[in-house]
Amino acid sequence: MERNDMPKAYTYTQHGGPETETFADLPRPVPGPGQLLVAVRAAGVNPVDWKRRAGYLPPGAAAAELPAVLGGEVAGVVEEVGEGVEGFAPGDAVFGNPLTGGYAEYTLLPVELAAHKPDAVSFADAATLPIAAATAYDGVHQLGLPPGATLLIIGVGGGVGVAAAQIAGNAGLRVIGIASAAKKDFVERLGVLHVEPGPDVADRVRAAAPGGVDAIYDLVGGDALVAVAGLLGDPAKLITAADRDTVARLGGSPVARKRDREVLEAVARLVEQGVLRPYVTETFPLDEAAEALRAVEAGHARGKIVIEVAG
């Protein structure tokens, strides 16, 4: 990528709806100690992107300085390294969670949230791993179910759900997934027993799992979570990546995110081994970042949507 001291980025200027989004030419980031300046090649698009624009602040996250660049997972090529950085050099292909947003030509990665991209993994696939796949990995390992156990995933058709279903299946778990009728064929190709949401969903899950479910991994929250929580005998096996308040009332817990290089390397290995397929179902150029985010915000996306930045 040709050096540009005022590179393009897709931002939101205040908290609110899509009308707050705009492109901006921002100063090229300068890596500080322990940071990598990365020329972005691909950025994953996630529901948390539009939720942060709307004003949601994830637990432990600092409030964004506005205008803020959208996007929380990227893959790209190291341009510069900050003071004290070891193990990374200009020209290295990397992926991770950026400090300065992902829908951009350049971003900063902290070394503790960055990993080397394997040659066998594309930039687009690598850009889906730091949030969606890592959240799936952390949740499945948090549950610690033995082979043969039954896991119910609420919202199995999205980015986290698709990854969780594959990771759980590889661990020998039987996976039942709640997703819209439009996603039935898609989730069944993952080896998931599909259940349609809506009234009487708990009865449909009981019919699909007459022996009961051993754990629930929720990716939707709200009424969808409440509707099936009673199927679980042990609330300690109820986790969510979507609704901390509701899961607390039900006796469960949020997914405990590790957020470190070890997890990034682990999910990348799963992709290399063919265990985990990121299922990037649609890509958009950076100029169409708004369209990419609308596709996710509408809630109908299958698998992962990625923004690709020209190299």
Side-chain angles (χ1 to χ4, degrees):
M1 179 182 294
E2 182 179 350
R3 177 169 177 146
N4 181 0
D5 288 326
M6 291 294 287
K8 179 187 294 185
Y10 194 61
T11 71
Y12 59 97
T13 57
Q14 59 184 327
H15 294 300
E19 71 281 357
T20 68
E21 300 170 14
T22 186
F23 281 102
D25 294 324
L26 301 178
R28 190 172 187 262
V30 177
Q35 297 176 356
L36 309 174
L37 173 65
V38 172
V40 178
R41 294 290 185 267
V45 183
N46 295 280
V48 72
D49 298 345
W50 68 260
K51 290 177 182 179
R52 292 203 72 164
R53 181 211 66 214
Y56 167 72
L57 189 63
E65 291 187 18
L66 301 178
V69 181
L70 288 148
E73 56 182 0
V74 300
V77 177
V78 176
E79 289 272 315
E80 299 177 19
V81 300
E83 182 182 350
V85 169
E86 297 181 356
F88 296 92
D92 287 352
V94 296
F95 67 104
N97 299 101
L99 292 169
T100 53
Y103 300 10
E105 292 179 319
Y106 291 94
T107 194
L108 296 177
L109 280 183
V111 290
E112 65 271 17
L113 294 178
H116 290 279
K117 182 188 76 65
D119 291 341
V121 180
S122 69
F123 283 110
D125 283 351
T128 73
L129 303 180
I131 290 180
T135 300
Y137 181 93
D138 286 342
V140 172
H141 283 77
Q142 179 178 342
L143 289 169
L145 297 174
T150 298
L151 172 64
L152 174 63
I153 301 177
I154 308 170
V156 73
V160 179
V162 167
Q166 294 176 84
I167 293 168
N170 184 62
L173 306 183
R174 179 176 185 244
V175 181
I176 298 173
I178 298 175
S180 68
K183 296 182 179 180
K184 181 177 186 294
D185 291 343
F186 175 64
V187 301
E188 287 182 343
R189 288 198 296 271
L190 302 172
V192 174
L193 185 59
H194 173 264
V195 172
E196 192 170 337
D200 303 318
V201 62
D203 290 337
R204 289 191 290 278
V205 174
R206 289 189 187 95
V213 298
D214 299 296
I216 296 176
Y217 192 165
D218 167 58
L219 303 167
V220 177
D223 293 342
L225 171 55
V226 173
V228 296
L231 297 170
L232 197 59
D234 180 6
K237 294 299 184 181
L238 171 62
I239 63 172
T240 185
D243 191 340
R244 300 172 72 95
D245 293 338
T246 298
V247 84
R249 291 198 302 271
L250 296 169
S253 59
V255 174
R257 293 297 318 281
K258 287 188 67 178
R259 302 183 192 280
D260 61 19
R261 189 182 304 164
E262 180 182 353
V263 171
L264 295 178
E265 292 174 342
V267 293
R269 281 195 300 271
L270 292 178
V271 177
E272 277 189 292
Q273 295 163 2
V275 170
L276 175 62
R277 179 180 169 186
Y279 280 96
V280 175
T281 54
E282 196 167 7
T283 62
F284 294 80
L286 180 58
D287 286 344
E288 297 177 13
E291 289 84 349
L293 189 53
R294 295 295 80 72
V296 170
E297 192 167 1
H300 303 306
R302 304 180 186 190
K304 284 288 292 189
I305 287 178
V306 168
I307 293 169
E308 293 187 315
V309 183

